[in-house]
Amino acid sequence: MIVRRGEKCPVGREQAVPSFANWQLATTPRFLGQADIDRLLAACDGEDRLRDRAVILLLARLGLRASEVANLAFGEIDWVAGRITRAGKGRREERLPLTQEIGDAILAYIERARPRVATTRVFLTSAAPVRPLSRIAVKCIVRRALDRAGVKSIHRGAHVLRHSAATTMLRNGASLAGVGAVLRHRSPSVTALYAKVDIGLLSEIAQPWGGGLPC
């Protein structure tokens, strides 16, 4: 059927127009370079920024999600073994390394800046009424730190630091499997997304070409 100029398209005919393809994991991960991460941490120096520095380190070094940082409890930190234990999906225990840098930052906040409030949650608001941080509050901490550091990025949320952690680990020699373990990916295909930031890493997941040569 031909629709002439000025005529209306029959009802339902718009369903025949094909949609654009949207391939899973087709995008390139958003991340900050090491120089920007250094500037971000420098913007959290000082006694009045001890909480913010610990929060940023958990996001940028371990790739924790904003909600995981907000809900971090004292009982999840094993100071002796040097690890953080999180309750993951399906009530699985997920263990992450508590590095010296992160441990020192958390201790500095607890001992010198954290309000004395009876709660098991580690991170609290600094202004009254004092209460545990929310996921939104963690995101606000990141945005304010980015502004103070003068980091020019269209991605202003906490999740960009999770991508940055993965990218930094890969560029420092970690394997895709190792990064997947730290980020707690349930599927290797999700971790493979980060190989796009390094051409050399693409060879680890590239599949051989099955077709013939064009000439």
Side-chain angles (χ1 to χ4, degrees):
M1 176 181 177
I2 299 176
V3 179
R4 295 182 176 83
R5 186 175 181 180
E7 294 182 358
K8 293 183 178 180
C9 182
V11 177
R13 188 59 58 83
E14 70 276 6
Q15 301 298 326
V17 179
S19 59
F20 289 101
N22 184 19
W23 305 109
Q24 185 181 23
L25 305 177
T27 59
T28 301
R30 307 176 298 273
F31 66 94
L32 301 179
Q34 188 57 53
D36 284 338
I37 295 295
D38 292 342
R39 289 163 59 193
L40 189 63
L41 289 170
C44 296
D45 283 343
E47 290 295 309
D48 58 337
R49 304 289 184 192
L50 292 175
R51 181 202 62 185
D52 294 3
R53 180 176 180 82
V55 165
I56 296 294
L57 281 171
L58 285 167
L59 295 167
R61 298 288 196 245
L62 294 184
L64 291 186
R65 301 174 179 88
S67 59
E68 293 172 334
V69 173
N71 293 321
L72 183 66
F74 286 107
E76 296 173 334
I77 303 176
D78 188 335
W79 300 102
V80 176
R83 66 189 179 206
I84 297 173
T85 302
R86 298 285 305 153
K89 295 180 180 178
R91 297 183 180 275
R92 293 186 311 168
E93 276 198 352
E94 298 171 335
R95 296 176 179 178
L96 297 169
L98 178 65
T99 65
Q100 189 70 47
E101 179 187 34
I102 296 173
D104 288 346
I106 294 176
L107 272 178
Y109 167 65
I110 293 172
E111 294 176 348
R112 294 167 14 213
R114 185 180 183 275
R116 298 294 184 255
V117 176
T119 176
T120 59
R121 299 264 287 277
V122 174
F123 296 110
L124 307 175
T125 58
S126 55
V130 176
R131 57 190 182 277
L133 286 184
S134 65
R135 175 178 60 88
I136 300 301
V138 171
K139 292 183 176 182
C140 289
I141 288 172
V142 174
R143 284 196 293 268
R144 289 198 298 265
L146 288 169
D147 290 339
R148 291 196 306 272
V151 175
K152 304 300 182 184
S153 171
I154 60 174
H155 308 295
R156 315 293 290 177
H159 210 68
V160 72
L161 297 184
R162 180 173 169 84
H163 292 315
S164 302
T167 303
T168 299
M169 283 186 277
L170 286 173
R171 289 182 169 176
N172 286 338
S175 66
L176 288 170
V179 173
V182 174
L183 297 187
R184 292 148 292 139
H185 288 156
R186 304 190 75 175
S187 171
S189 63
V190 177
T191 312
L193 171 68
Y194 294 101
K196 294 181 180 182
V197 302
D198 192 313
I199 297 300
L201 290 169
L202 288 175
S203 62
E204 295 186 23
I205 59 172
Q207 297 297 314
W209 170 247
L213 295 175
C215 58

